[in-house]
Amino acid sequence: MNHPGSEPSVAPAASPSLPRISRRHALIGLAALLAQAGFWSNPLSAAMQAPASVPASGPAPATMLFYTVSQTITGHRDLSADTAARIEQAMRTNVPGFAERLPQLGALLVTGQEAKALLAAATAADPGLRELVLAIVAAWYTGTVAGNGAQGTKSIVVAYAEALMYRTVADGQVVPTYCNYGPLWWLKAPPAVRVSAPVAPKPVPAPATTGTPEPKGKQAK
């Protein structure tokens, strides 16, 4: 009951009932908050989620001269530009005089030239150029630029699956450690065995004779 001159009393509003949260939902929410705050981050997940950083200075691209020489001497026009850049950079490190001899080798290039012709021209011009040509071929086919241990240089691996030596046998062999025909290829039925039909053996002729053999033990008079 209100007295005259006094403000009417207001009954406190009933507080709405809060929904009950189960312990499971509370733990899930707490885990989500901790994950967003970064408490449960690990280096592996951070590396997978973080955007790849762009290196300030990557390897220099292969010069057009080296790429053209590589195409001519290997006979392959579809060489990888990235692999060419790595080979050239490694050869500048491991091959003495590479920077000076590459322009000399480029001067011997002719449009439509075959590998044998370039090798012959390099051999006639300078034995050092012949060695450079062979070194470039070896690098492309093995994926490795050889080093000279006596001079303190180590071999540099520039490619593996892209090595040209695997193209030679690509129709019958995959690159070692690589999967043959996709994941779980061994679960599929094996390919049909292609065996040629058996060939009938040819009759063997009787050995030729020179006459009636003499009885054994007969002594010549």
Side-chain angles (χ1 to χ4, degrees):
M1 182 175 179
N2 298 331
H3 296 282
S6 63
E7 294 181 358
S9 60
V10 180
S15 59
S17 59
L18 297 176
R20 299 184 61 183
I21 301 177
S22 65
R23 180 179 299 179
R24 178 173 177 270
H25 289 162
L27 291 177
I28 293 176
L30 178 61
L33 291 175
L34 292 176
Q36 293 178 1
F39 286 96
W40 287 2
S41 62
N42 59 75
L44 180 59
S45 62
M48 295 174 61
Q49 297 176 3
S53 58
V54 179
S57 59
T63 60
M64 183 56 64
L65 175 58
F66 180 79
Y67 191 75
T68 305
V69 168
S70 298
Q71 287 179 317
T72 303
I73 200 58
T74 62
H76 295 282
R77 299 294 174 179
D78 57 341
L79 298 177
S80 168
D82 293 336
T83 304
R86 291 193 292 267
I87 291 178
E88 182 176 4
Q89 187 176 14
M91 297 195 81
R92 290 183 182 276
T93 301
N94 278 12
V95 180
F98 174 83
E100 294 77 14
R101 288 179 176 173
L102 181 60
Q104 300 174 9
L105 185 59
L108 303 177
L109 288 174
V110 179
T111 304
Q113 190 177 31
E114 295 184 355
K116 292 182 178 179
L118 179 57
L119 178 60
T123 303
D126 184 358
L129 292 181
R130 172 185 171 84
E131 296 300 323
L132 178 59
V133 168
L134 297 179
I136 294 175
V137 173
W140 274 105
Y141 271 84
T142 63
T144 303
V145 176
N148 189 340
Q151 298 179 357
T153 57
K154 299 181 180 180
S155 298
I156 302 176
V157 178
V158 295
Y160 179 63
E162 295 81 7
L164 294 182
M165 63 180 177
Y166 296 121
R167 289 195 185 185
T168 308
V169 295
D171 58 338
Q173 179 182 352
V174 297
V175 179
T177 73
Y178 276 64
C179 190
N180 274 351
Y181 303 105
L184 303 178
W185 63 270
W186 57 86
L187 298 180
K188 301 178 182 178
V193 179
R194 293 177 292 181
V195 180
S196 59
V199 179
K202 297 181 179 179
V204 180
T209 60
T210 57
T212 304
E214 296 183 356
K216 293 183 179 179
K218 184 178 180 180
Q219 301 293 332
K221 296 182 179 179

